[in-house]
Amino acid sequence: LFVINKLNISFDKKELFACVVNELYKTESNNTTRQLISRLFKIMENIPVEIMEDELGKMIKNSRFSFRLKKKMKTLLNDEEEVVTW
């Protein structure tokens, strides 16, 4: 997590996203890892959707990730596409 926080300061968002994805794949989702995963998703909020959309699309289809994590991924992708309704 220290390395990811350091990368968050850098300007290379693709490299940062690659590190976040790597952490998500190797971190089992449970009560113990909840804070780490929440932090990873918070970091992804600052990464452009264009960088994330292909990989998050693959992750959403992967049975390894829980419904909740997939919902968070979809939210990250849909935030940019929100339509204002009057």
Side-chain angles (χ1 to χ4, degrees):
L1 190 57
F2 174 76
V3 172
I4 292 173
N5 282 330
K6 281 292 204 187
L7 283 172
N8 197 18
I9 298 168
S10 77
F11 294 104
D12 190 355
K13 297 298 182 186
K14 287 182 182 180
E15 185 179 350
L16 171 62
F17 182 63
C19 289
V20 170
V21 167
N22 185 41
E23 280 298 316
L24 286 172
Y25 271 108
K26 67 182 191 177
T27 303
E28 185 178 337
S29 180
N30 58 46
N31 288 338
T32 306
T33 61
R34 185 177 295 153
Q35 284 185 324
L36 169 63
I37 292 172
S38 293
R39 179 71 180 127
L40 293 173
F41 275 92
K42 191 74 176 162
I43 289 169
M44 284 194 289
E45 290 175 3
N46 298 316
I47 298 174
V49 172
E50 300 79 41
I51 293 173
M52 300 187 298
E53 60 190 348
D54 289 340
E55 187 60 39
L56 286 183
K58 292 176 193 173
M59 294 168 79
I60 289 168
K61 294 175 185 174
N62 190 326
S63 62
R64 185 218 181 295
F65 298 103
S66 69
F67 174 78
R68 280 185 156 159
L69 290 182
K70 289 177 183 182
K71 187 175 176 183
K72 287 182 178 188
M73 292 174 198
K74 289 177 184 177
T75 300
L76 284 171
L77 292 176
N78 292 331
D79 278 350
E80 288 292 312
E81 299 169 8
E82 276 188 43
V83 177
V84 177
T85 54
W86 300 97

